[in-house]
Amino acid sequence: MEHTDELTRWLLDTDPALRWQVQRDLLGADEGTWRATRTLVATEGMGVALLAEQDPDGQWAGGSYFPAAGHPTAWVKGQQGQPWTATTWSLKTLREWGLDAAALAGTAEKLDRNCRWDYDDLPYWAGEVDACINGFTLATGTWLGADVSGLVRWFADHQLADGGWNCEWVEGSTRSSFHSTLNALEGLRYRQAHHDADEGISAIRARGEQYLLERHLLNRASTGEQVGPWATRFGYPFRWRYNVLVALDYFRRASELHGTAPDPRLAEAVEMVRGRRQADGTWLQEDHLPGQEWFVIDVPVGRPSPWLTLYALRVLRWWDGESVDHR
């Protein structure tokens, strides 16, 4: 895939959290170059700004999933969306930006002592009842070196008959959710990629992946109709909501982890992403989940998004056989 000089300059004129990924995944820069940029996440731009918001007890905003009551970013009754400032969201963001875990030395131990879930006051690294939350926690705990092996067993025990997961299983749901399944799969993929033992994850992931692949990442199994408008509405940060671009990036990472070819059932979703490309080579911000943030991360809705452009170009390079192997 060709990149114009103007598009390349635009993508490189960004925060280190994005720039190192552009260098590695789109421009094929040597490892020394992109790793040097990646180290800047801890000292420049958005990464260091988010690090500066960490509380002395290891948390962000005084809470696990929601900020503590009385915090300036706390949930307000009747508001749209939710705050995105608490510990789980801040750690998820820093991990996805490529921050070296060494920059958070001691955080896993602090959270073990000080952080409890809003649900039933459960210990942080043990997870809780929500599949999405447990997926985030499995990946983050693996990244920071916490003992989250129990969460692997949790996903095995709570996988539904159709192969996926649903955060509403506690209300009796037996049908999987696109959102919950993708967030669970990503946590399991990250664990498998960064942990020596398989822990049975390959078999668990295979069933979950089939749930999405059988639906071509888009459609209801019962009717063949698109599962919802959110499935094709792209927005960064991704938070928890499913869309086909995030799902395709998961399958790209899984393919590169295992050295496998793209599954043909992804074709419909890939062409949908390709069709959203603007004449200048960018992808537009189409969605933004409302709620309190530490600071603005990406562009307003309707503007060309460097983050979405990175993700889309990376997916298309992989699908078109042009990706860089950096397992």
Side-chain angles (χ1 to χ4, degrees):
M1 180 179 297
E2 295 182 359
H3 299 280
T4 65
D5 291 342
E6 185 177 354
L7 181 62
T8 298
R9 286 194 296 270
W10 178 72
L11 286 168
L12 290 173
D13 187 22
T14 52
D15 191 270
L18 189 153
R19 190 164 69 246
W20 73 266
Q21 298 182 71
V22 173
Q23 292 173 333
R24 184 190 67 174
D25 299 334
L26 301 184
L27 303 180
D30 63 86
E31 186 172 354
T33 297
W34 64 259
R35 284 197 179 277
T37 304
R38 185 173 176 171
T39 63
L40 299 177
V41 175
T43 59
E44 295 182 10
M46 297 189 300
V48 71
L50 189 48
L51 280 171
E53 300 293 348
Q54 187 178 22
D55 303 328
D57 67 0
Q59 301 186 95
W60 275 259
S64 55
Y65 191 78
F66 292 99
H71 189 271
T73 66
W75 186 81
V76 177
K77 185 177 181 179
Q79 76 169 77
Q80 287 190 324
Q82 68 169 82
W84 308 107
T85 53
T87 302
T88 295
W89 299 110
S90 297
L91 285 175
K92 178 179 184 290
T93 299
L94 289 169
R95 177 179 57 79
E96 291 175 349
W97 284 350
L99 180 73
D100 191 322
L104 289 168
T107 292
E109 293 78 12
K110 288 180 179 180
L111 295 180
D112 192 43
R113 292 193 299 269
N114 303 317
C115 192
R116 313 287 290 192
W117 288 109
D118 310 88
Y119 182 90
D120 275 1
D121 200 39
L122 296 169
Y124 191 74
W125 295 123
E128 50 123 286
V129 299
D130 186 288
C132 294
I133 291 174
N134 286 349
F136 305 151
T137 307
L138 176 61
T140 296
T142 300
W143 173 50
L144 295 181
D147 181 6
V148 287
S149 55
L151 285 175
V152 177
R153 295 189 294 273
W154 187 94
F155 280 108
D157 292 342
H158 292 82
Q159 194 164 25
L160 299 175
D162 59 11
W165 293 266
N166 193 324
C167 295
E168 296 181 0
W169 70 270
V170 288
E171 279 81 44
S173 178
T174 58
R175 182 182 300 175
S176 293
S177 152
F178 278 61
H179 310 288
S180 302
T181 299
L182 181 59
N183 288 320
L185 283 171
E186 176 52 25
L188 290 162
R189 182 210 62 81
Y190 189 91
R191 175 69 171 185
Q192 193 168 21
H194 297 89
H195 193 262
D196 292 338
D198 180 88
E199 301 174 288
I201 291 176
S202 291
I204 303 170
R205 281 181 51 215
R207 291 185 60 213
E209 289 174 358
Q210 286 304 308
Y211 171 84
L212 294 177
L213 289 169
E214 288 169 0
R215 292 156 177 78
H216 293 209
L217 308 192
L218 279 165
N219 306 317
R220 297 183 185 277
S222 55
T223 65
E225 297 176 348
Q226 185 173 313
V227 65
W230 40 263
T232 55
R233 196 160 56 219
F234 305 155
Y236 187 87
F238 298 126
R239 309 300 188 194
W240 60 268
R241 183 181 283 177
Y242 180 97
N243 69 61
V244 296
L245 179 55
V246 189
L248 284 167
D249 198 62
Y250 164 81
F251 281 99
R252 177 193 67 84
R253 293 174 187 267
S255 173
E256 293 182 351
L257 174 63
H258 301 296
T260 55
D263 191 291
R265 289 170 289 183
L266 301 173
E268 182 181 355
V270 169
E271 295 313 311
M272 182 165 288
V273 170
R274 199 188 303 274
R276 295 292 183 86
R277 191 175 191 181
Q278 304 299 298
D280 61 1
T282 66
W283 276 258
L284 300 181
Q285 181 86 295
E286 299 174 343
D287 191 23
H288 184 265
L289 292 176
Q292 297 90 321
E293 301 174 292
W294 288 115
F295 45 81
V296 175
I297 291 175
D298 199 15
V299 298
V301 170
R303 298 283 301 277
S305 164
W307 283 98
L308 293 176
T309 300
L310 162 68
Y311 273 77
L313 288 174
R314 189 161 58 185
V315 161
L316 294 180
R317 285 179 65 94
W318 163 68
W319 181 260
D320 296 337
E322 302 174 11
S323 61
V324 179
D325 185 355
H326 49 256
R327 282 176 286 163

